[in-house]
Amino acid sequence: MSENTPLIDLRDICKTYQMGVMEVRAVCGVSLEIAQGELTAIMGPSGSGKSTLMNILGCLDRPTSGEYLLAGQPIAKLDDDALAAIRNRTIGFVFQSYNLLPRTSALENVEVPLLYAGARNRRQLAMEALESVGLADRAHHKPNELSGGQQQRVAIARALVNQPSLILADEPTGNLDTRTGLEIIGIFQQLNLERGITVLYVTHDQETADYTRRVIRLRDGLIERDEPVPNQQFAFNVSPELLPPGASITEPPSTGSEVAVADSATGSTAA
């Protein structure tokens, strides 16, 4: 991919679902480009087409018409195996409900994409991913022994472990309190600034969008507005050396921290 090639290039994308005798257009005529290294939010009310668009961007669904180029590669020409490989190696997914395997440890959850990729040094790579989100000390805990914020950190580590170019995050702070949500936003900002990973949020939350550099607003399956964030906010846990001069930093709230959960292995608690 050349420097001028956008990571995401959508050209007149439409997605139509057949519901009985009716056709429902979830997305219609969406065209946009997202460059490598952008931090962007897609916003819109329920039914605006956000989830449909995310599924298309994540190669989980194919558009009915239009063209999708990912890093210059036409997605329509790829078979299911090739799409699965892209989902495994190029795109990392983070969901509101974490989607962790309940009976396996944090470390084993992070290893799952590596298993599909056939990596040999899975344990080392998974541990490094957990270290990058500050959770190495919880590597051997199962999801029910972790707080919501810790589970989301595991999910981020899992999304990172194959070193993707793109992270798609669907309401990543939706199940978290204010402070923990801000910490998660800070992790995404850190990854974007430090590694140049393209991060794309799908969210209802204007506050989450304020921490991005660009907001794309959908309504009725169309792009209503596409505009830069005039005064991007930065979370308190982003490394100071990565921040631009005069950055607006949001400090954590003094109350409302995440309820601690019992650590059944040690009897201690984890925020």
Side-chain angles (χ1 to χ4, degrees), residues 160-177:
L160 286 175
V161 74
N162 274 333
Q163 301 181 348
S165 303
L166 170 66
I167 291 180
L168 296 177
D170 186 7
E171 302 284 4
T173 63
N175 286 344
L176 304 175
D177 66 84

Side-chain angles (χ1 to χ4, degrees), residues 87-94 106-133 153-167 188 191 195 197:
R87 291 193 296 268
N88 181 252
R89 296 183 176 90
T90 305
I91 304 172
F93 296 90
V94 179
L107 187 62
E108 291 166 330
N109 267 282
V110 177
E111 283 186 64
V112 169
L114 296 167
L115 286 168
Y116 287 107
R120 294 183 179 180
N121 52 340
R122 296 191 297 269
R123 188 57 51 99
Q124 177 187 342
L125 292 172
M127 183 60 77
E128 289 173 356
L130 284 172
E131 287 174 354
S132 73
V133 298
R153 286 172 184 256
V154 174
I156 294 171
R158 181 182 59 193
L160 286 175
V161 74
N162 274 333
Q163 301 181 348
S165 303
L166 170 66
I167 291 180
F188 283 119
L191 294 168
R195 303 190 190 183
I197 297 174

Side-chain angles (χ1 to χ4, degrees), residues 179 182-183 185-187 189-190 193 207 210-212 231-253:
R179 181 190 177 97
L182 187 58
E183 290 176 350
I185 286 171
I187 291 174
Q189 288 186 315
Q190 180 89 14
L193 292 168
E207 288 190 9
D210 289 341
Y211 291 87
T212 68
N231 184 26
Q232 183 189 8
Q233 303 295 303
F234 291 89
F236 67 95
N237 54 328
V238 176
S239 297
E241 65 271 16
L242 297 175
L243 297 174
S248 299
I249 301 171
T250 304
E251 296 298 331

Side-chain angles (χ1 to χ4, degrees), residues 207-226:
E207 288 190 9
T208 298
D210 289 341
Y211 291 87
T212 68
R213 293 190 290 275
R214 176 184 177 189
V215 177
I216 299 166
R217 300 182 188 274
L218 296 182
R219 184 174 293 276
D220 300 328
L222 296 166
I223 294 178
E224 184 179 49
R225 280 182 288 166
D226 183 348

Side-chain angles (χ1 to χ4, degrees), residues 1 18 25 29 69 90 93 108 142 165 192 203 233 244 252 262:
M1 183 177 75
Q18 194 73 35
R25 287 193 171 187
L69 283 78
T90 305
F93 296 90
E108 291 166 330
K142 294 180 180 178
S165 303
N192 175 256
T203 182
Q233 303 295 303

